[in-house]
Amino acid sequence: MNSIALPLAGQRALVTGASSGIGEAIAQALAAAGAKLLVNYLHDEAEAQRVVRAIREGGGEAVAVRADVSVEADVESMFAVMQKAFGGIDVLVNNAGLQQDAALVDMTLDEWNKVISVNLTGHFLCAREAARAFVRQGPIDGLSCAAGKIIFVSSVHDIIPWAGHANYAASKGGIMMLMKTLAQELARSRIRVNAISPGAIRTPINRSAWETPEALARLLELIPYGRIGEPEDIGRAAVWLASDASDYMTGATLYVDGGMTLYPGFEAGG
Ligand code: BGC
């Protein structure tokens, strides 16, 4: 078991969609906890390199790798780079995801397929590669109690229905059963599989929900704790789930949402 100061010392982590937003904060937090990082990105190499530089300046190790998580060959070659750069993998954070919002009656099949293929199929492809590597390597003495950890970044919309976002909500509901099924399937190989379901976190994906005072006020009506989440709130949860501090936890979802899933509409009603 590693020290509390650097709970991930020596561990090797791959974070998908790590060039901005929640993925970036998770990569930074894991690196600060002692992990070596593969920073995956799709479009913005300059931003991914910025994240890599920041990790190196903090004394950590990191590489940036371009891969579309919904493309099997891209995922396989990204894991091959991981193996080559760090000799293995201990933590996968399935974070890459997107929204393509439309009312059901206007939603195109392309919009449906795009969101499902990145948010759900992409998570399956990466989890499969990570599990293969974890099973091959088994638990490593002095590194971690587990052979490996998979963390899915889902959403409160794995249980809160979301009108106008059928593709996104369906992908997140799917992640919940993917996560639980993999947790059940992999536990005997000492692989832990958990999810973080963030609420409203200040990132580019939901800019329109927080960038004006009026929008922010409307958003805060949905958050009993009275503030928007920051990406670092999710980074800290990811460090805990990746570390041996959560060693007895598998198949669970941490809702990091300021109470958004507590039915705030019932505070003074019902
Ligand atoms: C979505 C955000 C939204 C939040 C809370 C997230 O999963 O990506 O756009 O603000 O859920 O509704």
Side-chain angles (χ1 to χ4, degrees):
M1 203 166 295
N2 279 300
S3 70
I4 295 190
L6 281 182
L8 302 178
Q11 296 199 40
R12 299 140 308 169
L14 189 162
V15 182
T16 66
S19 59
S20 72
I22 289 174
E24 172 181 356
I26 291 176
Q28 303 278 14
L30 298 181
K36 302 169 190 173
L37 258 298
L38 187 151
V39 173
N40 160 255
Y41 69 97
L42 178 55
H43 296 299
D44 206 334
E45 183 175 7
E47 286 299 289
Q49 293 299 352
R50 177 183 56 74
V51 176
V52 164
R53 265 197 315 279
I55 291 173
R56 289 184 184 154
E57 280 160 15
E61 271 184 62
V63 291
V65 176
R66 190 203 160 278
D68 180 340
V69 296
S70 67
V71 174
E72 190 173 28
D74 275 24
V75 171
E76 284 168 357
S77 52
M78 173 168 68
F79 275 78
V81 173
M82 182 81 195
Q83 180 66 34
K84 208 160 169 233
F86 300 130
I89 178 168
D90 306 290
V91 180
L92 165 67
V93 181
N94 262 329
N95 167 76
L98 77 164
Q99 287 180 221
Q100 290 203 347
D101 308 329
L104 176 66
V105 291
D106 300 322
M107 189 176 285
T108 63
L109 181 58
D110 277 352
E111 286 166 339
W112 171 267
N113 283 338
K114 179 79 189 162
V115 170
I116 296 293
S117 71
V118 175
N119 295 13
L120 186 57
T121 308
H123 286 212
F124 151 71
L125 288 171
C126 291
R128 188 181 63 176
E129 285 314 302
R132 286 172 174 164
F134 296 155
V135 167
R136 254 196 329 268
Q137 93 195 357
I140 299 171
D141 262 359
L143 206 57
S144 173
C145 302
K149 282 86 53 166
I150 299 174
I151 300 166
F152 288 88
V153 179
S154 182
S155 165
V156 289
H157 299 296
D158 59 4
I159 50 166
I160 302 180
W162 204 15
H165 307 75
N167 48 2
Y168 185 82
S171 74
K172 298 300 186 179
I175 285 179
M176 181 186 286
M177 281 314 286
L178 177 62
M179 180 278 289
K180 289 186 186 218
T181 298
L182 299 191
Q184 189 190 62
E185 187 168 329
L186 299 171
R188 285 182 202 283
S189 305
R190 291 194 76 84
I191 296 167
R192 297 195 295 113
V193 187
N194 293 290
I196 301 171
S197 284
I201 308 298
R202 192 195 310 270
T203 72
I205 208 174
N206 60 357
R207 182 178 298 280
S208 63
W210 51 262
E211 74 180 342
T212 66
E214 300 73 36
L216 185 61
R218 270 198 311 278
L219 180 65
L220 291 181
E221 283 171 23
L222 299 173
I223 308 175
Y225 201 59
R227 71 166 172 88
I228 189 169
E230 302 298 338
E232 294 71 26
D233 288 309
I234 308 303
R236 284 189 293 273
V239 169
W240 185 73
L241 277 182
S243 77
D244 283 351
S246 61
D247 188 54
Y248 206 47
M249 182 174 259
T250 192
T253 299
L254 288 184
Y255 287 91
V256 183
D257 67 350
M260 194 175 234
T261 43
L262 297 175
Y263 297 97
F266 278 77
E267 240 174 293

